[in-house]
Amino acid sequence: MTRYAIDRARHTLIAQWGTGIGDTATVVARLTHDQLPHDTRKLAAELTHLSQLCWRSYTHPASAADQHGPHSLGRQRQQERDAFDKVLPALIAARAGDQPAATKIEQAALAIARTLRKLGTCELTTSVTTDVGAELAAVEQAERGDLSDRAQQAVALSREDASPLQISQADRLLYDDPFGGQALFTEVDPTAAAIAAAHWFHAAVTVTAGRTNRHPIQVVGSAEQAGKPLAIESLIDIATAITAGTRARHVVMPLIRNALHIADGYVHGILDLQHRITTAQEFIHTANPDLGLTPDTIPLPLTSLNPTRPAPDLLDNLLHGIHTCWQLYRHHSDARQKFVEATREEAAIRGERLL
């Protein structure tokens, strides 16, 4: 999403967003010295909030909701998305306080309109309206699978769905470089990239297992990361499911969606939670008594991914897994290109199971 701020040195309102390798910024409007700092900071905060709500329509599309009837989550999401058409008219309306607001996006737009009226310059209103229009267009562009220009900020967001076009693009990038080049982080939606990377990770595991005479799970187990003890859980889940015939998309999406639900403050379904509780209880019974673990003190992980950035986190895990496969493979053959070519061949064999 876009974050807005006040540049006090230049007395300007600026907009800033991520690109996958750092942020970029642009000047939205120049401020006048008679405008109170409190009001201009309030405007920046309200614009940031509006951007957050609009990009949530991208990361949490109505199509990904489980239900779509009256009063359902799917209907609420669609109403928020439909509210895009009401944002710009709200900003330029003569009176912002008298209009009803049925959605969070409309409420945010009206709050901005009220602050603009208070700041009282037509130039500022025009500049802000122009920038908000560009932000809405960027969301719509990302929805179409085009992450160029301002829509590039989508490369830092985790989405409950993934465009087949984006998955195919990520697959082509991984064919060019199975270890994951910079373009994978700056040109592709990370959810789509994680789906493609899961496919290539499984191919690398298969190749490495055959070369080293190890069981695939032994290969995956070698991909533990210091400081990320739960990362290996996501890799084992993915490798096991794809080996059993599950498509990469159908393995990755539940992991990311579950983490996004946890970030929103709830668990979607209780079966996985029951399994985690049972595992924790068993661990308490077998752990060293000196550890003092009890049901009240044992930490219970709800997801193997970082809930604040599950798709980029999973992508990092998968690429680390591919690098681990190469490290194991090289003990039997130091020909990196041979590993790459064998992984490409294995990925092509199962290519129809990518989507």
Side-chain angles (χ1 to χ4, degrees):
M1 67 175 210
T2 296
R3 298 171 300 282
Y4 294 81
I6 303 301
D7 184 339
R8 293 186 298 176
R10 297 174 175 81
H11 213 59
T12 55
L13 171 66
I14 63 173
Q16 175 181 336
W17 59 86
T19 65
I21 51 168
D23 290 5
T24 188
T26 186
V27 174
V28 176
R30 300 198 176 278
L31 305 173
T32 59
H33 290 282
D34 60 340
Q35 292 167 334
L36 296 178
H38 173 271
D39 292 334
T40 55
R41 289 197 299 269
K42 186 170 183 287
L43 175 62
E46 290 168 344
L47 286 166
T48 299
H49 180 55
L50 175 62
S51 174
Q52 181 180 30
L53 292 173
C54 291
W55 279 104
R56 185 176 174 84
S57 289
Y58 167 78
T59 59
H60 296 69
S63 59
D66 294 329
Q67 298 177 339
H68 296 273
H71 310 296
S72 67
L73 178 61
R75 178 65 63 83
Q76 293 173 6
R77 289 182 176 182
Q78 189 59 52
Q79 289 173 337
E80 292 291 339
R81 179 59 183 83
D82 292 342
F84 277 31
D85 293 337
K86 302 178 181 179
V87 171
L88 299 184
L91 296 183
I92 61 178
R95 300 182 63 182
D98 298 336
Q99 302 178 54
T103 65
K104 293 179 180 179
I105 286 179
E106 290 177 81
Q107 293 170 5
L110 290 174
I112 293 169
R114 286 190 288 270
T115 302
L116 287 172
R117 302 299 173 271
K118 188 174 183 180
L119 289 167
T121 65
C122 293
E123 293 81 5
L124 178 60
T125 298
T126 299
S127 297
V128 167
T129 302
T130 300
D131 189 80
V132 170
E135 184 76 350
L136 295 173
V139 177
E140 294 169 350
Q141 181 177 318
E143 289 174 334
R144 297 192 299 270
D146 180 0
L147 304 191
S148 60
D149 302 322
R150 189 161 179 160
Q152 188 180 13
Q153 59 189 294
V155 301
L157 303 176
S158 298
R159 198 177 188 216
E160 280 194 1
D161 200 1
S163 162
L165 292 175
Q166 285 282 303
I167 297 173
S168 296
Q169 182 178 351
D171 182 54
R172 290 192 297 272
L173 291 172
L174 284 163
Y175 179 88
D176 293 338
D177 182 1
F179 297 100
Q182 178 176 295
L184 198 63
F185 297 91
T186 60
E187 298 177 10
V188 184
D189 159 32
T191 300
I195 292 172
H199 174 71
W200 282 83
F201 167 67
H202 182 264
V205 168
T206 302
V207 167
T208 304
R211 184 68 177 179
T212 62
N213 292 319
R214 298 189 184 198
H215 191 278
I217 295 303
Q218 289 181 300
V219 174
V220 176
S222 301
E224 290 185 317
Q225 300 181 58
K228 293 184 69 176
L230 296 178
I232 195 68
E233 178 185 318
S234 62
L235 298 183
I236 291 175
D237 289 344
I238 288 171
T240 302
I242 294 181
T243 298
T246 306
R247 294 178 181 274
R249 182 189 185 100
H250 297 163
V251 180
V252 168
M253 289 311 312
L255 292 174
I256 293 176
R257 286 174 180 166
N258 179 57
L260 287 171
H261 293 153
I262 291 171
D264 284 341
Y266 68 95
V267 175
H268 187 71
I270 63 173
L271 292 179
D272 180 66
L273 183 59
Q274 288 175 331
H275 173 71
R276 292 180 181 276
I277 291 174
T278 300
T279 301
Q281 290 172 331
E282 293 173 351
F283 183 77
I284 290 173
H285 291 308
T286 59
N288 189 325
D290 294 339
L291 294 176
L293 293 177
T294 70
D296 290 330
T297 61
I298 188 170
L300 182 67
L302 300 180
T303 173
S304 58
L305 303 177
N306 181 343
T308 64
R309 52 184 302 274
D313 188 41
L314 180 56
L315 178 59
D316 289 341
N317 294 347
L318 290 163
L319 294 179
H320 174 78
I322 294 174
H323 279 271
T324 299
C325 288
W326 159 239
Q327 294 301 322
L328 294 174
Y329 187 96
R330 71 186 301 183
H331 291 308
H332 298 264
S333 172
D334 60 359
R336 182 184 174 101
Q337 189 59 32
K338 188 174 181 179
F339 170 77
V340 169
E341 291 174 356
T343 301
R344 284 172 176 165
E345 290 177 6
E346 182 63 30
I349 292 173
R350 297 173 178 265
E352 77 284 352
R353 304 203 64 79
L354 175 60
L355 299 176

